[in-house]
Every structure is written in structure tokens, then in C-alpha cells.
Amino acid sequence: MARNTMEAWIPEQYDSEVIQRITQTSVVEAVANKLPMTSDTRHAPRSAGMGVEVIDKGGAYGEDTSLNDDVTLTAKKFGKVVRIAEEDINDALPNTLAVKMKDWGISYAKILDNACLAVTAAPGTGVPFQSLYNLLHTTDNNLGYTADSNITVAGSAGATYADFSNTMGFVEGGDYYDPATMLAIAHPSFKKSLRGILDSQNRPIFLEGLAGTPDTIFAVPIKWSLGARTSPTASAAPTGRPIMAFVSTDLMLLGTRSGPESVFIDGRDGTSALTDESLLKMRARRGWAYGHPAGAAILVG
């Protein structure tokens, strides 16, 4: 028997528990510049800067020759479906649907951060878009960037003071450095090593925030992400080496096509009525790009 109803996808409200879990867990969702997408692709302008010069009285203005282009955001779908027996919905004390949606939100947050920041491969199967790691691992002659120039790999003994300082210095020495927008995004496993690192005057480089203030490294705020581990494909549970990325939030571009949203397919109708099982589908469609490789650096722990 064919289904005789059509359920609509229901977007999560801004203040819902699912959205709160996502923004608490995903750094990308919390801090990136969100660009609404009305189609599967969107082009975002990328400025190469603009020159300025001293002009004598009566002198002619020189024309700026900076080369500008754009980056392309392509929306990809992150989703999952869970099958729920009618008895579990009717008999369970907690709201089964709400619990499953929050669980999905946490996993979505981790896989999104991993896909945007730490996937090692180029876009393809299991890799929705070019991650920051892959961007910094790729030569771009048009932008004057050489592969791995802004990547530091820590030794077997762990990251040192010099590793953290030099990695941050790659961004500080570039044209895209802006202290007002600079942020460190790191896997929480860095906390242990950071607590024991002091500068030449025996001052800790890592300060844990109190009363709502952020943790900092060299006075730069840190956001912690469980997705900040390398992985060959996008994963909600990456197992590779942890990374700390120094980024500009202005250059983090997150395209929002739809969601997070869900649809509940009742098991009391159609072929599902044979098993008394309902389906809960959840998804979000996102695009991602980082504005310029010179504006970021990564330390691989």
C-alpha cells in the first residue's frame, strides 16, 4: 500500500536544545560567517587586499592592481535516519524523539568540524568540501602559497613552546592577520601538554578562562572541538592526530542551505504498519570554504 501523506521537514528553532547542543559542540557552527544559500552553490568574493600610497598635491591617484577572485561553496548533506519501535515511543519515560535528535546534533557538530578543519583528503567520496588542513597542504600558485608552508608537525615527544609560537607566527606575519578576529581551534587533548609549557620568563602560555572568559594561548582565545583530529574522510569520531588551527573568523565561510531539520515518518501507515516502526530522519545541508591559506596555520600534535 502506498503512503497517502507527505510529511514536511521541520527546521529546528534557534533556541531549541538541538541547536544549543550543536553550537556548544561545533566551533564552525558557532563562529563561522554564515552565508545563506538559495541554491546548491554560492560564490563568495575573495579580496586580495588593496594598496594605498602617498599622493602629492595635485598628483594623480594610482590604480589598485590587486587581483580579486572568489571561492565557491557547494552545499552537501549531513544526515541520518533512526528506526524507532512504536512501543519505545509510547512506553519510554523520556521523550525518545528529543533524545535521538540531540544525539544526532552532537554527532553532526563533530563531523562538521572535522570536515571543515581536519580531513586530509581532497573533496570526493566521504569528503564534502576542502578542509582547512587540505587547503594548507595544497600548493596554490595563483595565491602564492606553497603546500605545507603554514603547517607544523610536532615531534614524537609532543608539541613544544617553539611549535606553538612558530605556528601562530605564520599567521601573525601575513597580510591577513587581524588580532580582533584571530582564534585558535584545538582538540581538547592539547590541554594536558599546554598546562606544562612556560615562556622564557616562566609564565604559562595557556590560561584557562574563569567565570565565562575563554581559554587563551598567547592571549588568543581557544575554542575546543572534538572534530579537530585528522581523518581521511569526514567522521564524527576521528582517530587521527589532534590539530590546533590558528584562524581568522572573518575567513571562515559556512554556507547554510537548510537545517538542521527533521521529519517523522509515522509507522502506522503504509508498509511500515507491518512492523509498527516509525522513522526519524535528520539532516542539515552546509557548504564550506576558508577564504585564504595565508590567513591560517595548523599545528599537528
Side-chain angles (χ1 to χ4, degrees), residues 46-122:
R46 171 168 54 193
S47 174
M50 183 170 176
V52 65
E53 61 187 355
V54 176
I55 302 173
D56 293 333
K57 183 177 180 180
Y61 284 75
E63 185 173 345
D64 182 68
T65 58
S66 302
L67 298 176
N68 300 313
D69 60 359
D70 57 32
V71 293
T72 302
L73 284 74
T74 302
K76 297 294 182 178
K77 189 189 304 181
F78 296 83
K80 203 71 171 178
V81 62
V82 60
R83 189 178 297 273
I84 307 172
E86 186 174 345
E87 292 87 346
D88 292 336
I89 298 175
N90 294 336
D91 300 343
L93 290 177
N95 186 327
T96 304
L97 299 182
V99 170
K100 287 298 183 183
M101 290 173 65
K102 286 187 288 186
D103 288 345
W104 177 86
I106 293 172
S107 295
Y108 160 72
K110 290 186 286 188
I111 195 174
L112 180 68
D113 278 9
N114 184 247
C116 295
L117 301 173
V119 170
T120 57

Side-chain angles (χ1 to χ4, degrees), residues 176-224:
Y176 290 86
Y177 172 63
D178 181 355
T181 65
M182 193 168 184
L183 177 70
I185 304 173
H187 191 271
S189 60
F190 273 101
K191 289 185 178 183
K192 181 178 179 180
S193 60
L194 279 169
R195 292 188 185 104
I197 298 180
L198 306 176
D199 65 13
S200 59
Q201 298 179 345
N202 290 321
R203 297 173 303 185
I205 66 170
F206 170 56
L207 296 177
E208 297 185 83
L210 299 173
T213 60
D215 296 344
T216 61
I217 177 172
F218 299 122
V220 172
I222 304 176
K223 293 281 189 180
W224 305 103

